[in-house]
Amino acid sequence: MTTQRRTPPSKDKLDAIRAIVGPKGVFEGNDAAPFLSEWRGRWPGEAALIVAPASTEEVAKIVKYCSDNDIAVTPQGGNTGLVGGQIPFGDEILLSLKRMRKIRAIEPLNNTMTVDAGVTLAEAQEAAKEAGRLFPLSIGSEGTCQIGGVISTNAGGVNVLRYGNTRDLVLGLEAVTPSGEIWHGLKRLRKDNTGYDLKQLLIGGEGTLGIVTGAVLKLFPLPAEKVTICAGLESADDAVKLLSLAQQRTGGMTSSFELMARLCIDLVLKHIPQTRDPLREQHPWYVLAEFSSGQKSGLRDTVEAMLGEALEQGLIVDAAIAENESHAHDFWRIRHSISEAINGEGLGARHDVSVATSDIPAFLEKADAAVLKIAPGARFVAFGHIGDGNVHYDIVGPEGSAPDVLEPVRPQIESAVYDIIDTFSGSISAEHGVGRHRRDTLAKRKNAVELDMMRAIKKALDPKGIMNPGKML
Amino acid sequence: MTTQRRTPPSKDKLDAIRAIVGPKGVFEGNDAAPFLSEWRGRWPGEAALIVAPASTEEVAKIVKYCSDNDIAVTPQGGNTGLVGGQIPFGDEILLSLKRMRKIRAIEPLNNTMTVDAGVTLAEAQEAAKEAGRLFPLSIGSEGTCQIGGVISTNAGGVNVLRYGNTRDLVLGLEAVTPSGEIWHGLKRLRKDNTGYDLKQLLIGGEGTLGIVTGAVLKLFPLPAEKVTICAGLESADDAVKLLSLAQQRTGGMTSSFELMARLCIDLVLKHIPQTRDPLREQHPWYVLAEFSSGQKSGLRDTVEAMLGEALEQGLIVDAAIAENESHAHDFWRIRHSISEAINGEGLGARHDVSVATSDIPAFLEKADAAVLKIAPGARFVAFGHIGDGNVHYDIVGPEGSAPDVLEPVRPQIESAVYDIIDTFSGSISAEHGVGRHRRDTLAKRKNAVELDMMRAIKKALDPKGIMNPGKML
């Protein structure tokens, strides 16, 4: 699928946009680079102009001008996206939200927080904590990614099992529509049945339907007790059963439940300094799980009893409960280092897929077999948020092979994996989104009724097609 | 706002629709009445034909035929809606989902259940329970209302605080589009970032964008322990603070948190047989709360300690913990009888509104004052799901007045209450929806950007305007 190029905007028009934000809001020359290169260097970009407005009103003025003059706009948050959705092709102006970073309000008694789109996720977490509350969303890029981007990509992360995706954590939005109007939708309500839930279109909309400028986020009580465990298992099937047991025995207290194939541990130990095997013996599979409770005591006993039951039922072979924060941190360090460890091993082939949780073992079995037919000796670094059915299904070449050994067959591998995902009615992009990267794949694989609905909505809300063209659909 | 009438469909065309469902699927004469009268008798309806297809394919055939022949369709579930959204005006065919009532699949390890739209909420709850899981949605009409209707109205109820609205409990949908295509969207995934989340438009869409024929619902572990309490308080403000304390001390275990003004209790004791005062003394306000946990023990101690703390802080005056199921049932009977008790007292003026939870006390104060100016001596039967900011703000006439004393000023009262709701950026329909009842109010009060977006979406997805015309927008 190709994207229609527009006539590049004239110098006069760009000057008119510059005038809206003033010199502080324009980024040129050396200052432009950080906006135009995606962090893994996959999608080098170009923009007609890079501006960072200081207020919602400035965003609206810019978009109104662009709408009137048929200029395309690519909104950008922290530029941490993994699918190139935030990188313009050349004729667009890039609109960064980085100068809009006020925490507008925190209301502990309503368990809500109202923030500008440019506030980083870490800043939002910190502000909530200072008010004695938890904002549970947590992803690797939290120090840099911004709330507006997090919302536009419906970010997931390690706490989805208990607290939901970003979609579940947003009560209200302020946004600028493709015609440059401000939508004042900053509701702080938990129930509102007065028409279509419009914010759901912008959440995960990848900036194709408007620009998020502010949001009301849900907060939660801070947990009083936390227990982190690492367990060794024989199979992914046992992991699915362990999850079910854990959820039944702890009620809603299972916050994270991460699966790792042994090869994940091996690669982390090989490539990441100061890491160590989490359990005494080696096991084919590992589960890293976290439980948290508002009650001050009793959680550890409950988790211990649950692990005892799991041992008896043969679901786990061994398990360790973190003795303190630093021990828990060691467990999490392994999990968080997997991506970097894979980079150390080679280019690999990566997939961010999801299936029904109970289908994970069958998916892994079928996908492994299909990949081995294409790339004999390939090794599987499967890991992920198993409680959400989300597997980061990554593949590296045979032991000792060249780092780029899989490159020639990568498209074939991807296609085979996605074919299997389709047979499970799974998702080819569980949390990373579509952006540039999966746009063609989506057009090919998404069901026709859905594609038609998406296109009809896009045309209805952005008839001139100026919002982030060439992304998603 | 008026609704354009269509040419009534000809006999030939109606016969063509009859032929799709066969004689078992057509309801005429005496059989028609239950579909056409809403249970409170407010919106008597008429339909060109009443059909109940037996399968998704039949639904699609009917809608395709209607689309091709410009015939309007009003979908109907259990006919328990409170705003007339399910009642046709006369030129539409009424399409009931009542013959589609299969539980298609239950997958405990994925915590999901796939059901036909015509399954009743109680049947869904029961099926989940048999599989050792909880489907937590619970509303007054659960014995009759159907999953399709529950989804199309985004039903709320008493467990929203912990488990969310219907919107949060749906993973996938199967639906028939306004052009008669089947949308196979029955995904069982907890993460899927491949484009706009289209199901969100049909959830709460009141049948104006398509007909839900099936759904994948989220299930949860069955709670192992449940504690129900009733507390007496001096003010609604204390209730908001008690909620915050309860949520902090019990983590995620607060399932329900209902506020009731004393007058609620008085009216229940007066009009409903075999009910008794829940606490020894009388208090201006009451909280009925339920806590549940997957842990087998410790919850009662935690709740007791929390109540001790609340007493010390002066947030509550007295409290009772239900000693057994039947005691808890007595507490809940009061709560569930309020609506009926109000009916016993008179016609009243009823509002289903929401504000930020922390704004509830200020809202009540301002609304009471405004109403008393219009109707001196009016009495307030405020109750509701305070944890969701949702107040059923009902008003009855002065003690001993005629049952219809408020009727002449009801529009004025409503308008005054909604004006105050607007100052709090609240919702004039927290859970009951728009339907026929609040369509004009919505058109007048909804912000213009949102109305434009809603209308653009409606036009894009239902260009012929055949889906449930005259409802919502």
Side-chain angles (χ1 to χ4, degrees):
Chain A
M1 192 188 293
T2 55
T3 302
Q4 272 197 327
R5 299 292 301 237
R6 286 183 148 71
T7 324
S10 69
K11 190 180 165 305
D12 283 0
K13 288 182 178 170
L14 295 178
D15 284 346
I17 297 172
R18 283 169 207 267
I20 295 171
V21 291
K24 271 193 194 162
V26 178
F27 295 79
E28 303 182 281
N30 287 343
D31 296 339
F35 297 92
L36 294 174
S37 59
E38 179 264 354
W39 65 281
R40 290 183 304 191
R42 282 208 189 157
W43 296 280
E46 268 182 75
L49 181 69
I50 300 172
V51 287
S55 67
T56 303
E57 289 68 30
E58 284 187 12
V59 176
K61 273 185 199 163
I62 295 169
V63 177
K64 174 88 175 66
Y65 186 87
C66 288
S67 170
D68 290 345
N69 291 278
D70 199 34
I71 298 168
V73 183
T74 293
Q76 188 180 91
N79 192 11
T80 60
L82 295 167
V83 291
Q86 73 279 24
I87 304 291
F89 293 89
D91 299 330
E92 308 94 321
I93 67 158
L94 185 157
L95 191 154
S96 165
L97 281 300
K98 68 180 278 181
R99 289 175 69 211
M100 292 181 55
R101 49 194 304 170
K102 264 196 298 294
I103 307 275
R104 299 194 200 172
I106 301 192
E107 294 169 290
L109 280 181
N110 194 42
N111 282 316
T112 51
M113 169 156 98
T114 308
V115 301
D116 275 357
V119 166
T120 68
L121 176 49
E123 286 164 352
Q125 291 166 346
E126 194 48 44
K129 202 171 168 188
E130 274 170 29
R133 293 292 184 274
L134 173 75
F135 182 59
L137 192 75
S138 177
I139 60 179
S141 58
E142 59 197 27
T144 313
C145 71
Q146 298 171 6
I147 293 298
V150 156
I151 289 171
S152 300
T153 57
N154 184 30
V158 293
N159 289 326
V160 172
L161 183 60
R162 174 151 176 188
Y163 298 100
N165 291 290
T166 300
R167 185 176 303 286
D168 305 296
L169 301 173
V170 175
L171 291 180
L173 284 186
E174 178 190 86
V176 171
T177 70
S179 62
E181 283 184 289
I182 299 174
W183 172 35
H184 295 283
L186 284 179
K187 295 208 171 165
R188 302 166 301 142
L189 310 175
R190 276 150 215 276
K191 280 186 180 169
D192 179 22
N193 276 343
T194 57
Y196 308 143
D197 192 356
L198 299 166
K199 67 177 180 296
Q200 303 291 348
L201 287 172
L202 274 83
I203 300 171
E206 302 190 4
T208 61
L209 296 176
I211 301 178
V212 173
T213 55
V216 180
L217 306 174
K218 270 191 208 172
L219 303 180
F220 294 82
L222 277 171
E225 201 182 4
K226 214 185 252 189
V227 174
T228 309
I229 66 139
C230 183
L233 303 88
E234 290 290 350
S235 71
D237 197 40
D238 287 344
V240 170
K241 288 177 185 148
L242 178 66
L243 169 65
S244 176
L245 182 71
Q247 287 184 300
Q248 282 175 74
R249 293 297 178 260
T250 71
M253 293 180 286
T254 314
S255 309
S256 306
F257 199 92
E258 304 282 313
L259 180 72
M260 301 179 280
R262 174 65 208 180
L263 185 57
C264 300
I265 317 279
D266 287 337
L267 295 186
V268 167
L269 298 181
K270 178 174 169 191
H271 295 286
I272 312 292
Q274 292 174 310
T275 48
R276 61 190 186 92
D277 229 313
L279 299 173
R280 247 163 311 173
E281 318 260 315
Q282 295 193 7
H283 307 278
W285 293 93
Y286 292 78
V287 161
L288 169 57
E290 200 165 88
F291 306 85
S292 63
S293 165
Q295 285 185 279
K296 277 181 190 148
S297 64
L299 182 60
R300 196 187 157 109
D301 293 347
T302 301
V303 172
E304 260 175 20
M306 182 275 293
L307 289 174
E309 218 176 317
L311 258 175
E312 242 169 64
Q313 292 181 24
L315 297 180
I316 62 175
V317 183
D318 189 15
I321 300 185
E323 288 306 326
N324 49 45
E325 280 269 338
S326 131
H327 194 185
H329 179 84
D330 286 351
F331 286 165
W332 275 108
R333 181 131 191 271
I334 296 170
R335 169 65 185 83
H336 289 312
S337 302
I338 297 174
S339 242
E340 199 185 331
I342 295 172
N343 286 344
E345 193 72 4
L347 287 174
R350 299 182 164 209
H351 311 86
D352 164 39
V353 296
S354 71
V355 292
T357 298
S358 45
D359 287 341
I360 286 180
F363 160 72
L364 290 173
E365 197 181 314
K366 289 194 180 167
D368 287 4
V371 170
L372 285 173
K373 270 191 205 157
I374 300 165
R379 294 172 300 157
F380 302 96
V381 205
F383 63 106
H385 321 295
I386 191 187
D388 318 319
N390 182 191
V391 183
H392 297 305
Y393 185 68
D394 293 358
I395 299 147
V396 293
E399 179 88 55
S401 60
D404 59 356
V405 65
L406 293 182
E407 279 300 288
V409 288
R410 197 153 56 86
Q412 266 170 276
I413 291 177
E414 189 177 282
S415 181
V417 171
Y418 291 167
D419 283 349
I420 290 164
I421 282 294
D422 284 347
T423 66
F424 284 101
S425 300
S427 171
I428 61 161
S429 186
E431 49 178 25
H432 297 164
V434 181
R436 289 187 183 197
H437 184 38
R438 299 201 180 89
R439 188 173 169 238
D440 291 349
T441 311
L442 194 79
K444 231 167 43 198
R445 291 183 181 265
K446 188 108 179 162
N447 103 36
V449 175
E450 287 178 12
L451 269 182
D452 284 351
M453 281 171 76
M454 282 174 59
R455 286 172 184 152
I457 291 165
K458 168 76 174 173
K459 209 174 157 195
L461 299 184
D462 179 20
K464 296 185 177 174
I466 65 164
M467 290 307 311
N468 213 7
K471 315 294 165 57
M472 186 196 281
L473 82 176
Chain B
M1 191 186 293
T2 54
T3 302
Q4 271 196 328
R5 299 292 300 240
R6 287 183 147 70
T7 324
S10 68
K11 190 178 167 304
D12 283 1
K13 288 182 179 170
L14 295 179
D15 283 345
I17 297 171
R18 282 169 208 266
I20 296 171
V21 292
K24 271 192 195 163
V26 179
F27 294 80
E28 301 183 282
N30 288 342
D31 295 341
F35 298 91
L36 294 174
S37 60
E38 179 265 355
W39 65 282
R40 290 183 304 190
R42 283 208 188 155
W43 295 281
E46 271 180 72
L49 180 70
I50 300 172
V51 287
S55 67
T56 303
E57 289 67 30
E58 284 188 10
V59 176
K61 273 186 200 162
I62 294 169
V63 176
K64 175 89 174 63
Y65 186 86
C66 288
S67 170
D68 290 346
N69 291 278
D70 198 33
I71 298 169
V73 184
T74 293
Q76 188 179 92
N79 192 11
T80 60
L82 294 168
V83 292
Q86 74 279 22
I87 304 291
F89 293 89
D91 299 333
E92 309 94 320
I93 67 157
L94 187 156
L95 191 155
S96 164
L97 280 303
K98 68 179 280 182
R99 289 175 68 210
M100 292 181 56
R101 47 194 307 170
K102 264 198 297 293
I103 307 275
R104 298 194 200 172
I106 300 193
E107 293 169 292
L109 280 180
N110 194 40
N111 281 316
T112 51
M113 168 157 100
T114 308
V115 301
D116 275 357
V119 167
T120 68
L121 176 49
E123 286 165 353
Q125 291 166 345
E126 195 49 42
K129 202 170 167 188
E130 274 170 30
R133 292 293 184 274
L134 173 74
F135 182 60
L137 192 73
S138 176
I139 60 179
S141 58
E142 58 198 30
T144 314
C145 71
Q146 298 171 6
I147 293 298
V150 156
I151 289 171
S152 299
T153 56
N154 185 31
V158 294
N159 290 326
V160 171
L161 183 60
R162 175 152 177 188
Y163 298 99
N165 292 290
T166 301
R167 186 177 302 289
D168 304 298
L169 301 173
V170 176
L171 291 179
L173 284 186
E174 177 191 86
V176 171
T177 71
S179 61
E181 285 183 289
I182 298 174
W183 172 34
H184 296 283
L186 285 179
K187 295 206 172 168
R188 301 166 303 143
L189 310 175
R190 275 149 217 280
K191 280 185 178 168
D192 178 23
N193 276 342
T194 57
Y196 309 143
D197 191 354
L198 300 167
K199 68 177 178 295
Q200 303 291 347
L201 288 172
L202 273 83
I203 300 171
E206 302 190 3
T208 62
L209 297 176
I211 301 178
V212 173
T213 54
V216 180
L217 306 173
K218 271 192 207 171
L219 303 180
F220 295 83
L222 276 172
E225 201 183 4
K226 213 185 252 190
V227 175
T228 308
I229 65 139
C230 181
L233 303 89
E234 290 290 351
S235 71
D237 198 41
D238 287 344
V240 169
K241 287 177 186 148
L242 178 66
L243 169 65
S244 177
L245 182 71
Q247 286 184 301
Q248 281 174 76
R249 293 298 177 262
T250 70
M253 292 180 287
T254 314
S255 309
S256 306
F257 199 91
E258 304 281 313
L259 180 71
M260 300 178 279
R262 173 66 209 181
L263 185 57
C264 302
I265 317 280
D266 287 338
L267 295 186
V268 168
L269 297 182
K270 179 174 167 188
H271 294 286
I272 311 293
Q274 290 172 312
T275 50
R276 60 190 187 93
D277 228 314
L279 299 173
R280 245 162 312 172
E281 318 260 315
Q282 297 192 6
H283 306 278
W285 293 93
Y286 292 77
V287 160
L288 169 58
E290 200 164 89
F291 305 86
S292 63
S293 165
Q295 284 185 281
K296 277 183 194 148
S297 63
L299 182 60
R300 195 185 158 110
D301 293 347
T302 301
V303 172
E304 260 175 20
M306 183 275 292
L307 289 174
E309 219 177 314
L311 258 175
E312 242 169 63
Q313 292 181 26
L315 297 181
I316 61 174
V317 183
D318 188 15
I321 301 186
E323 289 307 326
N324 49 45
E325 281 269 340
S326 130
H327 194 185
H329 180 83
D330 287 350
F331 288 164
W332 274 109
R333 179 127 192 272
I334 296 171
R335 169 64 185 83
H336 288 313
S337 303
I338 298 174
S339 243
E340 199 186 329
I342 294 172
N343 286 344
E345 193 70 3
L347 286 172
R350 300 183 163 209
H351 311 86
D352 165 41
V353 296
S354 72
V355 293
T357 298
S358 46
D359 287 341
I360 285 180
F363 161 71
L364 290 174
E365 198 181 313
K366 288 193 182 169
D368 287 4
V371 170
L372 285 174
K373 270 191 205 159
I374 299 165
R379 294 172 300 157
F380 303 96
V381 205
F383 64 105
H385 320 295
I386 191 184
D388 318 319
N390 182 190
V391 183
H392 297 306
Y393 185 66
D394 293 358
I395 299 149
V396 294
E399 179 88 53
S401 59
D404 58 354
V405 64
L406 292 182
E407 280 298 289
V409 289
R410 199 154 56 88
Q412 267 170 277
I413 291 177
E414 188 176 283
S415 180
V417 170
Y418 290 167
D419 282 350
I420 290 165
I421 282 294
D422 284 347
T423 66
F424 285 100
S425 300
S427 171
I428 61 162
S429 186
E431 48 178 27
H432 297 165
V434 181
R436 289 187 183 197
H437 183 40
R438 299 202 180 87
R439 187 173 170 237
D440 291 349
T441 311
L442 194 81
K444 232 167 44 196
R445 291 185 181 266
K446 189 107 177 163
N447 104 35
V449 175
E450 287 177 12
L451 268 182
D452 285 351
M453 282 170 75
M454 281 174 59
R455 287 173 182 151
I457 290 165
K458 169 75 176 174
K459 209 175 155 192
L461 299 183
D462 179 19
K464 296 185 177 173
I466 65 162
M467 290 307 311
N468 212 8
K471 314 296 165 57
M472 187 197 280
L473 83 175

